[in-house]
Amino acid sequence: PISDPNTGALYYMNSGDIWTVGYDGEGARAMTTGGGISSLGLSDDGNSLTFLRNGTLNVLNLRANNFPTVAVTFRADWLRDV
């Protein structure tokens, strides 16, 4: 589990989804559905969780209602030196 330094909540993975529970073990609830989640991490500022869902990096906003999740995409533009 990962501990939130701002709220004391714990975040953990169960059956491929992210769950949260209070530090006292009360109020467990799913934050995601659909499975496929791995590599759970907490951002340095404690405001979001990062995770992989089916190989794609995602960020979950812990401070917004309903924990919105955004898939992170990368694009590399480069020119070849000749």
Side-chain angles (χ1 to χ4, degrees):
I2 295 173
S3 177
D4 186 330
N6 297 317
T7 66
L10 299 174
Y11 306 107
Y12 61 98
M13 292 184 298
N14 184 24
S15 299
D17 282 306
I18 300 171
W19 286 69
T20 185
V21 66
Y23 66 91
D24 58 0
E26 297 293 321
R29 64 184 170 134
M31 299 175 74
T32 63
T33 59
I37 292 178
S38 62
S39 302
L40 183 61
L42 183 67
S43 66
D44 289 340
D45 63 8
N47 290 327
S48 57
L49 290 173
T50 58
F51 59 93
L52 295 176
R53 174 172 261 158
N54 300 320
T56 300
L57 179 62
N58 285 261
V59 177
L60 183 146
N61 185 336
L62 293 171
R63 308 298 174 232
N65 292 333
N66 299 320
F67 310 114
T69 300
V70 176
V72 178
T73 58
F74 297 94
R75 181 178 153 187
D77 290 328
W78 58 278
L79 298 174
R80 182 177 172 177
D81 288 338
V82 283

